[in-house]
């Protein structure tokens, strides 16, 4: 939800929300053999696709080059609309037709999901690829296998002062669940005004395993998030090579989260942040210019684990005019790691005054909880994939038998399904992954509000991955088996003794962490009208939290540990004076966050309330003023 009025925490914003087939991947790690083409003396040689640029650097090893295996019919292919992917044919019209199919309005606010598959190939385009409405997924076969490539010297892409994107999502208040996965964008040569991807998503949405390359190094921006309003969203496993700016972000809302980012050969800055709140984990930069420029006084950057190489002795790896928290940052070649701070490395740094209620001189150290990577699972043997087929709209009768079939992967071909009454399914240990490919489960008014409830009750050490469901899936974690929920909005409940929980690019409300449970969340959107997160004696690590509505954000009890690393608390309504943003009772917490408020009384009068040994103290809004550099409560 967005509201419109002047912010009380920063300058007022403008608010208005919404026939040869030769697969040579422009970013591939190896050439794929081309079929032989017969010619005669009376024939001209067939046109050839452009040669690929150099292979991805070792630092980008987290990117999956592909080709990734998918089962037949898992989603509609762009080739069904006439796209060739041969690096020669102009596929602009075919891709545009594919994206427009079934989208009857410009905004399509009803939120019906749409997914489009780009099989391995090079898809040549001459104009912007853009789509209508929300909830669109572009799925490639790997960042080194499926490439959307701009023609060299394409019309309209020549001016660096008038940038033009190769791919553009809608902006504003309709940009929910926008996904681009496992593909590459190459802006070609002679396109000085090219932008690789102009990307906006809200609440849930991600770029994952994506490469954005300028063939000649020129171009305006690799990843452009300067329109209103980027985030909350997740960018994970991204390589940007070339361009004036690698990643360009503006506006105060709503907190992009970035992880495993690789930047090379930018001309102005690797990342330019003009006022937003960024949470970044694992950044590698090879540049002569600054890797990060945080230029607005109200901008915030949280940076964990960065290697910033190249540099120039006349500049710093990080230039900061706003709020900065940095941990485990090393630089080489620069005058310093952080401008104004001596040294080429930083173990931990906070630009603002550290806040505390029970410690008179708190150190600039966050809680430093261990960080575990979100589990993944992919079975390359498609015979181990089990397909859910509904005999009619609303049919879920065959689900339990499918789950009991011994298949490692259960998939729902991208579509809209329906369950009038809740269908409870017990997930056996043989199932390792459940994937919806961007689809959704419409819920009826029957028992428990309809939808599908997945019961995870065993103690298997193998994580269960549930991903890519826009909505309609509920997960009940009863046993010690780890669970990872990704890319979608989910209902979640647990019982005492529940195992590890991983959340990545997820909408969820509310969330309870059980005693002894460990939770890692990357890009979590929580808009509950009650206490949003209760940590009742567990361990909770969050990289990128965005909230809406009043009520307590996180309550930590019974000796629990909570580490919040950004980004945005956004009540979007008046907050009762009795509400406290963060509560801690005889527990350990550290907090870094920003606040946006556009309505009278739209911030928490009490930001932090901490109780130790029966003594309660409070940190007020006037002590924070929209930015929490670091609160230490341990």
């Amino acid at each position: 939800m967005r509201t419109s009025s002047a912010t009380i925490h920063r300058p007022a914003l403008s608010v208005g929300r919404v026939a040869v087939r030769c697969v040579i991947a422009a970013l591939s790690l190896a050439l794929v053999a081309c079929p032989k083409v017969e010619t005669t003396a009376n024939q001209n040689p067939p046109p050839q696709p452009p040669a690929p640029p150099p292979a991805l650097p070792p630092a980008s090893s987290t990117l999956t080059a592909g080709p990734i295996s998918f089962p037949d019919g898992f989603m509609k292919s762009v080739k069904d609309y006439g796209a060739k992917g041969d690096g020669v044919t102009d596929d602009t019209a075919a891709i545009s037709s594919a994206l427009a199919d079934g989208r009857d309005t410009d905004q399509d606010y009803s939120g019906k999901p749409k997914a489009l598959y780009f099989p391995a190939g090079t898809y040549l385009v001459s104009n912007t690829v853009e789509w209508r409405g929300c909830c669109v997924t572009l799925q490639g076969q790997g960042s080194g296998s499926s490439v959307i490539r701009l023609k060299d010297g394409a019309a309209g892409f020549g001016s660096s002062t008038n940038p033009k994107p190769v791919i553009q999502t809608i902006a504003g208040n309709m940009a929910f669940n926008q996904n681009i996965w496992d593909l590459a964008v190459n802006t070609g040569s002679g396109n000085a005004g090219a932008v690789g991807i102009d990307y906006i998503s809200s609440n849930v949405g991600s770029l994952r395993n994506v490469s954005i390359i300028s063939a000649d190094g020129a171009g305006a921006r690799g990843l452009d998030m300067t329109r209103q309003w980027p985030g909350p969203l997740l960018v994970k496993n991204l390589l940007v090579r070339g361009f004036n700016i690698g990643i360009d972000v503006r506006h105060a809302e709503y907190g992009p989260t970035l992880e495993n980012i690789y930047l090379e050969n930018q001309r102005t800055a690797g990342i330019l942040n003009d006022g937003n709140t960024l949470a970044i984990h694992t950044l590698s930069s090879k540049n002569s210019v600054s890797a990060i420029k945080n230029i607005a006084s109200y901008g915030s950057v949280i940076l964990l684990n960065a290697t910033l190489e190249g540099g120039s002795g006349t500049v710093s790896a990080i230039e900061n005019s706003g709020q900065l928290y940095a941990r485990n940052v090393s630089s080489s070649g620069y005058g310093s790691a952080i401008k104004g701070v001596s040294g080429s490395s930083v173990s931990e740094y906070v630009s603002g005054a550290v806040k505390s209620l029970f410690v008179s001189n708190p150190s600039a150290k966050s809680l430093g909880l261990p960080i575990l990577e979100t589990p993944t699972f992919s079975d390359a043997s498609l015979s181990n994939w089990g397909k859910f087929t509904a005999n009619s709209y609303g049919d879920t009768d065959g689900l339990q038998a499918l789950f009991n079939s011994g298949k490692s992967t259960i998939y729902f071909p991208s579509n809209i399904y329906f369950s009038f009454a809740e269908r409870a399914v017990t997930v056996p240990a043989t199932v390792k992954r459940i994937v919806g490919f961007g689809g959704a489960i419409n819920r009826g008014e029957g028992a428990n509000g309809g939808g599908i409830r997945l019961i995870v009750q065993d103690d298997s050490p193998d994580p269960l991955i549930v991903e890519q469901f826009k909505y309609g899936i509920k997960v009940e974690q009863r046993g010690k088996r780890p669970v990872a929920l990704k890319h979608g909005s989910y209902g979640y409940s647990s019982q005492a003794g529940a195992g590890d929980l991983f959340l990545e690019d997820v909408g969820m409300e509310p969330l309870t962490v059980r005693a002894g449970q460990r939770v890692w969340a990357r890009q979590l959107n929580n808009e509950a009208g009650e206490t949003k997160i209760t940590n009742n004696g567990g361990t909770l690590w969050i990289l990128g939290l965005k909230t809406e509505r009043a009520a307590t954000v996180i309550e930590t009890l019974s000796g629990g540990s909570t580490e919040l690393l950004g980004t945005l608390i956004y009540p979007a309504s008046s907050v009762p004076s009795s509400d406290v943003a963060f509560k801690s009772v005889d527990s350990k917490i550290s907090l870094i966050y920003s606040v946006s408020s556009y309505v009278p009384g739209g911030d928490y009068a009490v930001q932090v309330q901490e109780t130790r040994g029966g003594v309660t103290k409070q940190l007020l809004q006037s002590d924070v003023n929209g930015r929490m550099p670091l609160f230490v409560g341990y």
Side-chain angles (χ1 to χ4, degrees):
M1 302 290 293
R2 274 74 170 167
T3 56
S4 175
S5 133
T7 173
I8 63 171
H9 289 315
R10 60 186 67 85
L13 302 176
S14 173
V15 180
R17 306 274 309 201
V18 244
V20 56
R21 182 185 183 275
C22 181
V23 181
I24 298 182
L27 302 178
S28 65
L29 299 178
L31 299 184
V32 179
C34 299
K36 183 178 180 180
V37 179
E38 299 292 340
T39 64
T40 71
N42 295 324
Q43 293 176 324
N44 292 322
Q48 295 297 311
L56 302 182
S60 62
S61 59
T62 55
L63 276 72
T64 302
I68 303 168
S69 297
F70 293 103
D72 291 338
F74 78 104
M75 66 172 60
K76 195 80 169 175
S77 170
V78 69
K79 291 192 173 184
D80 295 336
Y81 297 86
K84 302 299 183 184
D86 58 13
V88 177
T89 305
D90 189 333
D91 285 326
T92 310
I95 296 172
S96 297
S97 176
L99 286 167
D101 185 25
R103 312 299 270 187
D104 50 7
T105 68
D106 287 339
Q107 299 299 321
D108 201 28
Y109 190 71
S110 61
K112 58 184 179 183
K114 181 179 180 64
L116 193 61
Y117 176 45
F118 287 75
T122 297
Y123 298 84
L124 197 64
V125 298
S126 57
N127 206 345
T128 300
V129 173
E130 56 186 331
W131 61 71
R132 301 175 182 176
C134 78
C135 318
V136 177
T137 296
L138 303 188
Q139 174 68 67
Q141 207 170 355
S143 62
S145 300
S146 299
V147 182
I148 297 175
R149 193 189 198 282
L150 181 63
K151 284 185 175 181
D152 294 345
F157 290 87
S159 172
S160 60
T161 59
N162 187 25
K164 185 173 181 177
V166 177
I167 296 179
Q168 184 176 56
T169 67
I170 64 166
N173 201 30
M174 307 298 172
F176 304 112
N177 293 91
Q178 310 285 44
N179 303 301
I180 302 175
W181 297 332
D182 303 306
L183 56 73
V185 175
N186 190 313
T187 61
S189 298
N191 296 309
V195 171
I197 301 176
D198 186 344
Y199 179 63
I200 300 293
S201 192
S202 297
N203 292 354
V204 175
S206 64
L207 297 184
R208 186 194 65 201
N209 193 36
V210 169
S211 299
I212 306 175
I213 306 294
S214 169
D216 62 0
R221 306 178 187 106
L223 176 58
D224 186 336
M225 294 191 286
T226 62
R227 291 179 297 150
Q228 298 171 316
W229 288 264
L233 56 84
L234 176 67
V235 179
K236 182 165 184 173
N237 299 348
L238 173 74
L239 168 68
V240 182
R241 181 186 292 145
F243 303 97
N244 293 336
I245 301 170
I247 302 174
D248 197 356
V249 190
R250 296 180 193 169
H251 305 290
E253 288 82 23
Y254 286 83
T257 299
L258 300 91
E259 188 169 39
N260 299 341
I261 307 299
Y262 306 96
L263 305 173
E264 292 184 5
N265 301 329
Q266 279 76 53
R267 300 180 177 186
T268 302
I271 298 174
L272 182 65
N273 180 43
D274 187 1
N276 216 304
T277 60
L278 307 184
I280 307 170
H281 178 228
T282 309
L283 169 67
S284 175
S285 173
K286 295 181 180 180
N287 272 299
S288 60
V289 298
S290 294
I292 297 177
K293 290 185 178 180
N294 187 33
I295 64 174
S297 61
Y298 56 90
S300 176
V301 172
I302 300 162
L303 177 64
L304 282 70
N305 302 341
T307 302
L308 314 177
E309 300 176 317
S312 164
T314 62
V315 299
S316 296
I318 301 172
E319 295 186 3
N320 174 54
S321 298
Q323 178 174 295
L324 173 66
Y325 172 84
R327 185 202 301 174
N328 297 337
V329 176
S330 66
S331 68
S332 61
Y334 290 98
S336 63
I338 301 173
K339 188 175 182 179
V341 180
S342 61
S344 60
S345 64
V346 173
S347 59
E348 196 156 6
Y349 168 82
V350 183
S351 62
V354 180
K355 311 291 185 181
S356 186
L357 288 170
F358 284 88
V359 180
S360 57
N361 293 303
S363 61
K365 291 186 177 297
S366 185
L367 198 52
L369 296 178
I371 303 172
L372 266 63
E373 180 56 65
T374 306
T376 61
F377 178 82
S378 180
D379 197 330
S381 176
L382 296 182
S383 63
N384 293 329
W385 290 54
K387 176 182 178 180
F388 171 66
T389 302
N391 294 318
S392 62
Y393 185 66
D395 171 38
T396 58
D397 288 343
L399 270 176
Q400 189 63 67
L402 177 62
F403 275 70
N404 292 343
S405 66
K407 303 293 186 182
S408 70
T409 304
I410 305 299
Y411 75 98
F412 292 61
S414 184
N415 208 336
I416 300 176
Y417 302 86
F418 177 61
S419 183
F420 176 77
E422 181 184 82
R423 172 67 66 174
V425 180
T426 299
V427 183
T430 51
V431 175
K432 306 297 194 300
R433 183 186 184 202
I434 305 167
V435 56
F437 289 119
I441 314 295
N442 282 335
R443 299 170 59 179
E445 298 177 357
N448 296 324
I452 297 173
R453 177 164 56 98
L454 303 174
I455 302 171
V456 187
Q457 60 186 13
D458 62 80
D459 294 333
S460 169
D462 297 328
L464 172 67
I465 316 299
V466 183
E467 61 179 311
Q468 303 177 38
F469 289 93
K470 184 178 181 292
Y471 51 76
I473 294 289
K474 300 173 251 185
V475 177
E476 184 177 345
Q477 189 176 13
R478 297 179 180 177
K480 294 184 181 301
R481 184 179 187 183
V483 171
L485 307 180
K486 305 181 187 182
H487 309 302
S489 295
Y490 299 92
Y492 172 80
S493 61
S494 61
Q495 295 183 359
D500 292 348
L501 175 65
F502 298 84
L503 305 173
E504 186 166 292
D505 183 32
V506 161
M508 179 178 290
E509 52 188 62
L511 169 64
T512 296
V513 182
R514 300 293 179 180
Q517 188 179 27
R518 302 185 301 175
V519 178
W520 290 268
R522 294 158 165 89
Q523 205 299 85
L524 174 63
N525 186 70
N526 190 316
E527 301 181 9
E530 56 191 291
T531 297
K532 303 176 196 309
I533 301 174
T534 302
N535 180 359
N536 195 11
T539 300
L540 173 63
W541 178 88
I542 302 178
L543 179 77
L545 170 70
K546 176 259 182 183
T547 69
E548 290 191 21
R549 306 172 72 181
T552 295
V553 176
I554 303 177
E555 185 172 23
T556 307
L557 308 168
S558 305
S561 297
T562 297
E563 182 175 18
L564 174 64
L565 297 159
T567 52
L568 187 69
I569 308 306
Y570 180 68
S573 62
S574 296
V575 179
S577 58
S578 58
D579 282 1
V580 177
F582 297 93
K583 295 180 181 179
S584 177
V585 179
D586 295 322
S587 298
K588 299 178 180 180
I589 62 172
S590 63
L591 311 169
I592 304 171
Y593 62 90
S594 300
V595 180
S596 279
S597 176
Y598 294 90
V599 296
D603 193 3
Y604 294 85
V606 179
Q607 297 283 302
V608 184
Q609 178 176 291
E610 189 177 7
T611 301
R612 293 188 177 278
V615 178
T616 298
K617 297 184 179 182
Q618 294 181 332
L619 188 73
L620 305 181
Q621 187 275 331
S622 56
D623 299 316
V624 176
N625 196 29
R627 290 290 185 267
M628 176 68 80
L630 174 63
F631 177 86
V632 174
Y634 63 91

